[in-house]
Amino acid sequence: MIKLVLASKNEKKLVELRNILTRLGVEVIGESEAGVDVLVEETGATFEENAALKARAVMEASGLPAIADDSGLMVDALAGAPGVYSARYGGEALDDTGRYRLLLETMRGQTDRRCKFVSAICCAFPNGDVITARGECAGTLAYAPRGEGGFGYDPIFFVPGLKKTFSELTPEEKDQISHRGNALREMKLKLESYLDGIDK
Ligand code: IMP
């Protein structure tokens, strides 16, 4: 089984990534287990660039293949914002609740509530090879938070087909449709054919 160092400081995202990857048969170890602690400035203009920056930095520090996710929420009526700035929306002082409250306030009176979560996943290998996958999940912005689970913008991300917010889904239900789940399923296929190629 391939072993990857998971490059993430976000505890809840780390749990999600680890769960999905384990279910997909990929073994992951945390940065601390790999003996590294890498702080990466997310200076990229796209999710893909930021995921590659993070994966490369951890691969270089650990000498092992590394996997990283960069993700965020894009709101149509805000021209795709907060996008790559989702984790920093409203400044460093806000927490998850402060950020989604600010977004609800910004969207007050706006009837076009369409939005999507995007996740870019990148695997970086010590030989310089890089594999990237992208997943999306479309939804609408709720008018008020609902549910207890998940993290980040989950309480206000409404999935019309299920009539529930991401926070009202079980972890398994969320993984089945989420941007991160979709990106990781694509990544698994890409990894399998990449490793197949290496074996031959
Ligand atoms: P990153 O660590 O730079 O990728 O930050 C991504 C940010 O986007 C997180 O801090 C969350 O605010 C938001 N985000 C990404 N994925 C999710 C999700 O599945 N649910 C809720 N918020 C998310």
Side-chain angles (χ1 to χ4, degrees), residues 10 13 16 42 54 69-72 86-87 117 151-154 174 179-180:
N10 180 330
K13 209 167 77 173
E16 249 189 52
E42 296 180 15
K54 289 189 254 187
D69 148 288
D70 194 63
S71 48
S86 294
F117 270 125
F151 67 98
Y153 300 90
D154 279 351
K174 179 179 170 184
H179 48 314
R180 196 163 296 107

Side-chain angles (χ1 to χ4, degrees), residues 142-196:
Y143 286 89
R146 244 170 57 180
E148 302 296 330
F151 67 98
Y153 300 90
D154 279 351
I156 63 165
F157 185 81
F158 187 75
V159 186
L162 300 176
K163 295 193 167 58
K164 284 182 179 168
T165 67
F166 262 3
S167 280
E168 295 176 302
L169 303 180
T170 64
E172 291 75 22
E173 284 171 335
K174 179 179 170 184
D175 296 346
Q176 266 172 28
I177 56 164
S178 79
H179 48 314
R180 196 163 296 107
N182 291 335
L184 284 170
R185 280 181 283 274
E186 185 189 314
M187 175 56 83
K188 193 197 178 212
L189 296 178
K190 287 188 170 177
L191 266 178
E192 280 167 352
S193 58
Y194 172 75
L195 296 172
D196 228 32

